[in-house]
Amino acid sequence: MPKRKAAAKEQDSANTSAEEYSRSSSVDRYSSARKKRGRRGGLKIFLAVLVAAFVATGGVALAYFSNINSNLTKGIDSALRGTLKETQAGDPFYMLLLGIDKNHDRVESSEYGANDSAYRTDTIILARIDPTDKQVTLVSIHRDTLVDFGSDGGKEKINASYSIGAAKQEAGEDTSGAAYTVQTISKFAGVPISHYAEIDFDQFCDIVDTIGGIEVNVPVDVYDPEYTGADIKAGWQTLNGDNALKLCRARHAYDKYGDGDVYRAANQRMVIGTILKKILQSDIGTITKSVNTLSSSVTTDLSVTDILTLATQFQGFDMAKDLYSGMEPTDSKYVNNTWYEICQTSAWQKMMKRVNQGLSPYESESEDTTLGYAGSGTATKNEGASTTSSSTTGGSSDAETDYSGTVEVLNGAGVSGLAGRVASTLNSKGFEATSGTADSYDYSTTRIIYVGEENKAKAQAVADTLGLSTVKKDDGTHAGEANVVVVLGADMADGTVVSNN
């Protein structure tokens, strides 16, 4: 992802015609609905328990669930419901997750006025949910993507769709901010959207405290004292709600790496995925309590029964293998005194075609520009191949191999961020890896060195992870340091091994 330069580039018009915006020819249309499947035994048991609870507690339980439903569906209007597409039970569906910036000070000073038309979508995530295969795919769409709204607003950032829709509703048209945004994203991605959730991130992270915190692996220090106050160290961290929110907001902590929005979006997907994982590991009572807490920060067309049914269907969900994550590929461009993101059309078409087929957004983890910097989680799944994972959100996908021990990864190739990315991959396998700089950048081949005979097996596990075969015993140079030392050479300059001498 190219960095945005401080000085404005020469103004340039972008190719954002209505035809390109619609992407109508970019993605194979959503496949015809599968035959309706019978409900699974676990779902039947859940519904029986739910009915029994109602019988046992009478109106108390009914009132409790009714209150949650009322909170969840507040603000869901007929225009939005009329826009959402129905799917058969058990079939995969798309859900739009929006983080809306409703900061009071911003709204009061907005050119749009102090109402819903002042709001813009701060976060846009398109989720594909497959209950049968227990698979979730999260794709972030850059909020600054330049699209052409035609007579509704001309060429604008895609996150303007919410305010445009709200303004049209105020003018008496049969739409709303949410409905218009669903239509915009559906057209842009070339897929139907069946469900909607609007998230207030300022309150959303309260759920983190409700479930006792979340464990995440942060690849680099996240330090953002001026804007969010974030000061989160690299490595495995247990975050409370406040720090989870700061991690989801801290885009300026990544300014030195490039477009901070991209890294922030990766962290948001990581936090959402980790919350999902922990809730799904809970008992039905804790899940219900969590949904109740979420109802204060989430507006959705889904009822509490819908959510609990999905939670039951996703019991046994393996986040390391079945959570896929990606970001719309874009290029930054300065147009008419404003920075925009220009969608890389062919790459976006390829990504959405893969997602629509139930594959991961990325064909290879090397396509993920945030890997090693932000916690995106990059499990990959390709046609005819098993799922592989370098997820930074917890656990190895290979339960039969014991990956353990301390590893120091030293950059001897001179490629910025390379040691951090490799360390992140090793951390995802279970090692305790840190990154640093070698004594020079003149290493042509990568060296894996075990410090002490007892660490030879650990070094071999590191080699297997990196696609190498040869390990060497320390000659005394690294004594007293980590169990294993990796000195990266030019053969891994692009993040993958190109030779193995």
Side-chain angles (χ1 to χ4, degrees):
M1 177 65 61
K3 297 183 179 179
R4 296 183 174 185
K5 297 181 179 180
K9 296 180 180 179
E10 181 179 354
Q11 293 185 2
D12 190 16
S13 60
N15 181 15
T16 54
S17 65
E19 180 181 356
E20 179 185 1
Y21 164 49
S22 70
R23 313 295 188 221
S24 59
S25 61
S26 69
V27 182
D28 291 341
R29 299 306 299 174
Y30 194 66
S31 58
S32 59
R34 301 178 187 174
K35 293 181 179 179
K36 193 172 183 178
R37 299 180 177 87
R39 301 286 188 178
R40 295 189 174 189
L43 178 57
K44 292 178 180 178
I45 294 172
F46 162 70
L47 293 176
V49 171
L50 189 61
V51 171
F54 280 138
V55 172
T57 60
V60 176
L62 184 60
Y64 178 67
F65 278 82
S66 178
N67 182 63
I68 298 177
N69 277 332
S70 177
N71 287 337
L72 284 171
T73 59
K74 62 185 181 296
I76 299 296
D77 54 33
S78 59
L80 173 60
R81 291 191 183 279
T83 302
L84 299 173
K85 308 301 182 183
E86 292 186 7
T87 54
Q88 296 290 336
D91 279 350
F93 61 86
Y94 287 91
M95 184 172 188
L96 181 62
L97 309 178
L98 297 183
I100 307 296
D101 181 3
K102 294 186 176 181
N103 178 274
H104 179 75
D105 293 335
R106 179 190 181 280
V107 170
E108 289 296 327
S109 63
S110 172
E111 62 182 289
Y112 296 99
N115 49 50
D116 279 3
S117 61
Y119 303 149
R120 292 199 175 198
T121 47
D122 193 49
T123 298
I124 306 172
I125 298 177
L126 185 61
R128 182 184 185 272
I129 300 172
D130 188 339
T132 300
D133 291 339
K134 298 182 181 181
Q135 179 179 305
V136 176
T137 307
L138 302 177
V139 179
S140 295
I141 295 175
H142 203 298
R143 64 178 184 167
D144 293 339
T145 300
L146 182 61
V147 297
D148 193 341
F149 289 103
S151 60
D152 290 337
K155 293 181 179 180
E156 254 285 12
K157 295 180 179 181
I158 200 167
N159 72 335
S161 57
Y162 196 93
S163 56
I164 291 174
K168 287 167 70 69
Q169 184 180 39
E170 291 168 12
E173 297 189 38
D174 185 20
T175 189
S176 63
Y180 191 81
T181 302
V182 167
Q183 292 174 332
T184 299
I185 302 302
S186 177
K187 185 188 298 184
F188 179 72
V191 296
I193 295 174
S194 301
H195 295 289
Y196 172 89
E198 188 177 302
I199 301 171
D200 181 345
F201 266 103
D202 288 341
Q203 298 180 35
F204 177 70
C205 287
D206 288 347
I207 189 63
V208 175
D209 292 325
T210 299
I211 60 179
I214 56 173
E215 292 186 1
V216 296
N217 190 13
V218 182
V220 298
D221 290 346
V222 179
Y223 185 60
D224 184 31
E226 184 176 354
Y227 294 94
T228 64
D231 186 7
I232 302 171
K233 301 302 182 184
W236 283 100
Q237 306 291 341
T238 299
L239 303 182
N240 60 17
D242 181 59
N243 281 327
L245 175 61
K246 289 176 180 176
L247 185 62
C248 288
R249 291 292 193 197
R251 65 190 177 100
H252 290 291
Y254 296 92
D255 285 346
K256 63 183 178 181
Y257 302 116
D259 181 2
D261 274 322
V262 174
Y263 299 93
R264 176 179 66 169
N267 284 334
Q268 289 171 346
R269 297 193 302 272
M270 175 179 68
V271 168
I272 290 173
T274 308
I275 290 173
L276 175 65
K277 173 187 176 183
K278 191 160 186 179
I279 290 177
L280 290 175
Q281 290 175 337
S282 305
D283 57 69
I284 196 67
T286 302
I287 293 175
T288 304
K289 181 181 178 182
S290 299
V291 174
N292 186 29
T293 302
L294 283 170
S295 69
S296 65
S297 60
V298 175
T299 298
T300 179
D301 67 295
L302 293 173
S303 68
V304 62
T305 307
D306 293 332
I307 295 172
L308 293 178
T309 299
L310 275 171
T312 303
Q313 290 175 310
F314 270 85
Q315 289 290 305
F317 172 70
D318 187 343
M319 185 174 173
K321 295 190 299 182
D322 296 322
L323 177 68
Y324 306 121
S325 178
M327 179 87 192
E328 170 211 357
T330 63
D331 292 315
S332 301
K333 183 170 290 190
Y334 199 70
V335 182
N336 297 329
N337 301 314
T338 303
W339 278 108
Y340 293 95
E341 292 298 318
I342 309 303
C343 179
Q344 296 175 10
T345 305
S346 60
W348 174 239
Q349 292 171 358
K350 176 183 176 181
M351 176 178 286
M352 285 310 305
K353 183 174 182 179
R354 288 179 55 82
V355 171
N356 209 32
Q357 293 173 335
L359 306 177
S360 56
Y362 299 126
E363 188 173 3
S364 166
E365 66 179 42
S366 64
E367 297 175 28
D368 182 2
T369 60
T370 68
L371 186 63
Y373 300 100
S376 57
T378 53
T380 57
K381 178 182 179 181
N382 293 308
E383 195 71 45
S386 59
T387 301
T388 59
S389 173
S390 64
S391 171
T392 60
T393 56
S396 165
S397 61
D398 187 353
E400 297 181 357
T401 303
D402 181 17
Y403 296 94
S404 64
T406 57
V407 182
E408 185 176 18
V409 183
L410 303 178
N411 189 346
V415 178
S416 177
L418 179 60
R421 292 195 293 274
V422 172
S424 178
T425 297
L426 294 174
N427 278 322
S428 72
K429 279 290 192 179
F431 296 105
E432 296 177 25
T434 58
S435 60
T437 304
D439 54 356
S440 75
Y441 291 144
D442 297 331
Y443 289 86
S444 59
T445 58
T446 297
R447 303 179 184 181
I448 299 178
I449 303 163
Y450 55 94
V451 183
E453 193 66 33
E454 68 276 11
N455 294 316
K456 184 175 182 179
K458 297 175 183 177
Q460 190 58 56
V462 170
D464 292 343
T465 301
L466 301 182
L468 295 167
S469 58
T470 304
V471 299
K472 297 180 180 179
K473 187 176 181 179
D474 177 46
D475 61 3
T477 303
H478 302 286
E481 298 182 11
N483 302 143
V484 180
V485 177
V486 179
V487 184
L488 300 173
D491 56 347
M492 292 192 70
D494 63 351
T496 58
V497 177
V498 294
S499 64
N500 186 18
N501 297 328

